């Protein structure tokens, strides 16, 4: 019975292809019915638990996403997004290097700021504009959107995981930062294989090595020692900067080759206009146009620089203390749940940090971006309204899943499932990433997967003797691998490049990458649960 709401959600999404917001509302209703009829949770407390989850979904979850995507929409409206695209394309004349910078480095920056499918949609279009065929462009964008997911949307997945499990955010971020950076080292090599097969690996491996190592090392350092909200932002910028320095002194062994030339079977150096995708002509015309003025390039990058500066300021101890002084924490009305020791459950306490919240920082950055990008206030407001309309369905999905998660956790359904999974004993460490992977593959969000399975992982770990922190981190680390398979992201990638209805073809392309990544993550988490790599657990 405890598994019924989750099974219903997954079957509706994965088998019957019901829209995510409808499936999520149905799952929420089922969790309430099970809580009241099977677990004898008082009706008032059951609905109050759901209301707390909905409130958390609106703030801080959607507050962060809305303001992040608002900034992106303003760069598009002002024309500076095209400046960004041309800037990335001018870094190298080799399409494999261009793809790594756009899909891996810039995609990570978009994931850090917005998440929720934005990197897949944006990077897919940019790759097609470079001359890649639509199916290959969408595949590359989906696979590249892996390593940064755990700290996406300004670290929302790990923030949610900390909130759901009651584990300290610093510890959750640090443990996750000792798992996902290993993926970052591998992903660029897989991208080269997708882009150009063995030849790509043989000729362009230095670009993959530099991008993977610099991103992974920076992500580890920021997640363990810096503001976790900046983990992916700083890692993506350091990665792009190091690749830029590399290509100034090194060129791939095969010489300059465009994506269009490769797909057309032409000689090295053929112009993009020779073929290779519906965006090829646009890319060629952009290449032939006069280069963008340096001032416009600086303005295009300025909103992201403002975000970094603001988050760095907020992380300073005096500023953090001042902002935190106005934070309000209170027991959620109508929810009175005690632990086995008779103490109030931390999950029933709501933290309203309206000023220090990441979404508020992004909102301030958005206001500054209106001025920096030269937009009229009315245009900035229009972009904000457009963002709200765009995210309507996603908003219902997120708040429903989080409402469902709170009901599952506070009613005891999650604890039941945790005890059941604990029957795996010491082998539960191998299952931990699989649960996260499955949750994200179905819901399309690592945040949602952490909401559903975070406390379950901790409960199961406590019964097996495994570190609860390791199990929780294993959930979000495994979850990042499921995002490329989620129906929502497959639909976003396919529709972005004009291949709506071809999601099955796209699924088969990305399945190979999943079969490479997931067993490696399972092995890593298992070894971290043993003396072999147990020293990596904080």
């Amino acid at each position: 019975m405890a598994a019924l709401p989750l099974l219903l959600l997954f079957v509706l999404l994965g088998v019957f292809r019901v829209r995510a917001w409808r499936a999520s509302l149905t799952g929420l209703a089922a969790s309430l019915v099970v809580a009241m009829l099977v677990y004898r949770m008082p009706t008032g407390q059951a609905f109050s638990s759901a209301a707390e989850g909905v409130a958390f979904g609106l703030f801080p979850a959607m507050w962060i996403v809305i303001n992040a995507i608002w900034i992106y929409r303003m760069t598009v409206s002002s024309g500076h997004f095209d400046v960004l695209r041309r800037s990335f394309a001018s870094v190298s004349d080799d399409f494999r290097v261009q793809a790594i910078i756009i899909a891996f480095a810039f995609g990570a920056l978009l994931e850090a700021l917005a998440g929720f499918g934005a990197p897949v949609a944006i990077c897919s279009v940019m790759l097609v504009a470079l001359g890649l065929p639509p199916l290959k462009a969408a595949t590359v964008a989906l696979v590249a959107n892996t390593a940064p997911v755990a700290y996406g949307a300004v670290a929302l997945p790990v923030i949610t995981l900390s909130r759901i499990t009651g584990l300290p955010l610093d510890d959750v971020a640090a443990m996750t930062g000792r798992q996902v950076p290993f993926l970052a080292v591998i992903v660029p090599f897989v991208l080269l294989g997708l882009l150009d097969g063995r030849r790509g690996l043989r000729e362009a491996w230095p670009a993959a090595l530099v991008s993977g190592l610099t991103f992974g090392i920076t992500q580890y350092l920021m997640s363990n020692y810096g503001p976790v909200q900046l983990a992916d932002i700083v890692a993506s910028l350091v990665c792009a900067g190091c690749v830029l320095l590399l290509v100034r002194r090194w060129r791939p062994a095969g010489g300059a080759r465009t994506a269009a030339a490769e797909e057309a079977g032409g000689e090295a150096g053929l112009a993009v206009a020779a073929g290779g995708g519906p965006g090829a002509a646009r890319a060629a015309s952009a290449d032939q146009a006069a280069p963008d003025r340096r001032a416009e390039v600086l303005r295009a990058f300025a909103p992201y620089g403002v975000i970094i500066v603001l988050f760095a300021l907020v992380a300073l101890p005096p500023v953090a203390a001042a902002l935190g002084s106005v934070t309000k924490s209170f027991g959620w009305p109508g929810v009175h749940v005690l632990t086995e020791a008779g103490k109030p459950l931390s999950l029933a306490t709501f933290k309203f940090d309206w000023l220090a919240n990441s979404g508020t920082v992004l909102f301030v950055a958005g206001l500054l971006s209106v001025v920096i990008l030269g937009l009229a206030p009315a245009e900035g407001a229009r972009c904000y309204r457009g963002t709200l309309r765009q995210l309507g369905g996603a908003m219902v999905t997120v708040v429903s899943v989080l409402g469902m998660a709170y009901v599952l956790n506070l009613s005891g359904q999650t604890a039941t499932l945790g005890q059941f999974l604990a029957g795996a004993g010491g082998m539960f460490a191998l299952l931990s990433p699989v649960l996260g992977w499955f949750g994200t593959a179905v819901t399309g969000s690592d945040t949602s997967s952490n909401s559903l399975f975070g406390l379950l992982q901790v409960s199961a770990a406590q019964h097996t003797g495994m570190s609860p922190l390791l199990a929780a981190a294993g959930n979000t680390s495994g979850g990042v691998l499921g995002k490329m398979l989620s129906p929502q992201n497959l639909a976003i990638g396919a529709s972005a490049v004009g291949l709506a209805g071809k999601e099955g073809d796209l699924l088969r392309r990305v399945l190979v990458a999943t079969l490479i990544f997931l067993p490696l993550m399972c092995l890593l988490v298992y070894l971290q649960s043993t003396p072999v790599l147990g020293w990596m657990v904080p």
Side-chain angles (χ1 to χ4, degrees):
M1 293 305 297
L4 181 62
L6 291 172
L7 291 175
L8 182 61
L9 171 66
F10 295 152
V11 169
L12 288 176
L13 280 173
V15 178
F16 294 101
R17 308 274 179 152
V18 175
R19 291 200 172 195
W21 66 270
R22 292 177 178 172
S24 301
L25 282 173
T26 305
L28 171 59
S31 69
L32 286 168
V33 171
V34 172
M36 292 183 291
L37 298 184
V38 180
Y39 282 77
R40 305 297 181 185
M41 189 177 194
T43 301
Q45 293 211 43
F47 279 93
S48 293
S49 299
E52 185 183 4
V54 169
F56 183 75
L58 291 173
F59 185 94
M62 289 309 301
W63 178 237
I64 293 172
V65 176
I66 288 169
N67 291 312
I69 294 184
W70 175 44
I71 294 173
Y72 157 69
R73 286 181 71 99
M74 286 193 292
T75 63
V76 173
S77 179
S78 67
H80 288 89
F81 178 73
D82 289 328
V83 177
L84 279 176
R85 180 183 58 79
R86 290 192 291 270
S87 298
F88 288 129
S90 66
V91 169
S92 171
D93 49 11
D94 188 278
F95 77 99
R96 298 163 298 188
V97 177
Q98 293 172 349
I100 285 178
I101 293 174
I102 291 174
F104 186 69
F106 185 61
L109 181 61
L110 293 172
E111 178 67 33
L113 299 176
F116 289 87
V120 174
I122 296 167
C123 292
S124 295
V125 173
M126 293 177 73
L127 291 172
V128 169
L130 290 177
L132 281 178
L135 187 60
K136 181 175 287 189
T139 302
V140 169
L142 282 165
V143 174
N145 187 221
T146 300
V149 169
Y151 303 101
V154 205
L156 182 59
V158 292
I159 291 173
T160 302
L161 183 61
S162 171
R163 174 80 175 112
I164 290 290
T165 61
L167 297 170
L169 175 59
D170 290 344
D171 290 344
V172 172
M175 186 66 248
T176 307
R178 301 176 191 192
Q179 294 172 345
V180 292
F182 290 100
L183 292 174
V185 178
I186 303 172
V187 169
F189 289 96
V190 175
L191 296 181
L192 285 182
L194 291 171
L195 288 163
D196 200 23
R198 293 182 180 179
R199 180 173 57 182
L201 289 168
R202 184 175 63 252
E203 295 178 351
W205 66 264
L209 182 64
V210 169
S211 59
L213 280 178
T214 54
F215 187 94
I217 292 172
T218 307
Q219 188 184 55
Y220 161 75
L221 293 174
M222 292 301 300
S223 61
N224 279 263
Y225 305 108
V228 64
Q229 293 87 347
L230 292 179
D232 281 347
I233 296 175
V234 176
S236 61
L237 293 176
V238 170
C239 170
C242 290
V243 174
L244 179 60
L245 292 175
L246 173 69
V247 296
R248 287 187 175 183
R249 297 180 174 272
W250 164 87
R251 297 178 69 183
R257 294 204 309 275
T258 65
E262 290 307 307
E263 297 304 321
E267 298 294 330
L270 280 177
V272 176
R282 293 195 300 273
S285 62
D287 290 339
Q288 294 166 3
D292 297 300
R293 291 184 295 114
R294 179 167 296 183
E296 291 304 308
V297 175
L298 291 175
R299 290 175 70 186
F301 282 95
Y304 306 106
V306 168
I307 291 172
I308 294 172
V309 171
L310 288 179
F311 273 111
L313 289 174
V314 169
L316 294 175
V319 179
L323 296 177
S325 65
V326 298
T327 296
K328 303 295 182 182
S329 296
F330 54 90
W332 190 260
V335 178
H336 306 288
V337 183
L338 304 180
T339 66
E340 292 177 349
K343 297 180 180 179
L345 199 66
S346 61
L347 199 62
T349 301
F350 191 83
K351 184 179 180 182
F352 186 60
D353 53 344
W354 64 276
L355 195 55
N357 183 263
S358 299
T360 304
V361 175
L362 288 171
F363 180 71
V364 174
L367 293 176
L368 295 174
S369 297
V370 173
V371 179
I372 293 170
L373 297 174
L375 292 173
E379 180 63 15
R382 189 189 67 80
C383 290
Y384 206 94
R385 289 193 300 271
T387 301
L388 293 175
R389 287 194 297 269
Q390 173 189 345
L391 295 175
M395 192 178 303
V396 175
T397 301
V398 170
V399 299
S400 299
V401 168
L402 281 163
M404 175 181 165
Y406 269 69
V407 174
L408 292 175
N409 293 337
L410 288 168
S411 67
Q413 295 174 64
T414 297
T416 298
L417 293 173
Q419 287 182 328
F420 172 75
L421 291 173
M427 299 304 292
F428 175 72
L430 282 173
L431 296 177
S432 178
V434 177
L435 279 174
W437 169 83
F438 182 67
T440 304
V442 174
T443 65
S445 165
D446 198 27
T447 300
S448 298
S449 178
N450 288 341
S451 301
L452 291 174
F453 293 143
L455 196 59
L456 185 154
Q457 296 265 15
V458 170
S459 176
Q462 290 170 339
H463 287 88
T464 62
M466 178 183 173
S467 165
L469 179 61
L470 176 59
N475 191 84
T476 195
S477 297
V480 307
L481 303 175
K483 196 162 186 180
M484 68 180 82
L485 295 174
S486 69
Q488 294 93 316
N489 276 327
L490 289 171
I492 289 171
S495 61
V497 296
L499 294 177
K502 300 288 186 179
E503 291 84 359
D505 296 336
L506 196 52
L507 174 62
R508 286 189 287 273
R509 290 286 190 99
V510 300
L511 193 58
V512 176
T514 295
L515 294 177
I516 294 173
F517 294 142
L518 186 58
L520 293 176
M521 182 55 67
C522 291
L523 179 61
L524 175 62
V525 174
Y526 175 73
L527 291 176
Q528 288 177 333
S529 71
T530 69
V532 177
L533 294 179
W535 51 269
M536 297 180 69
V537 181

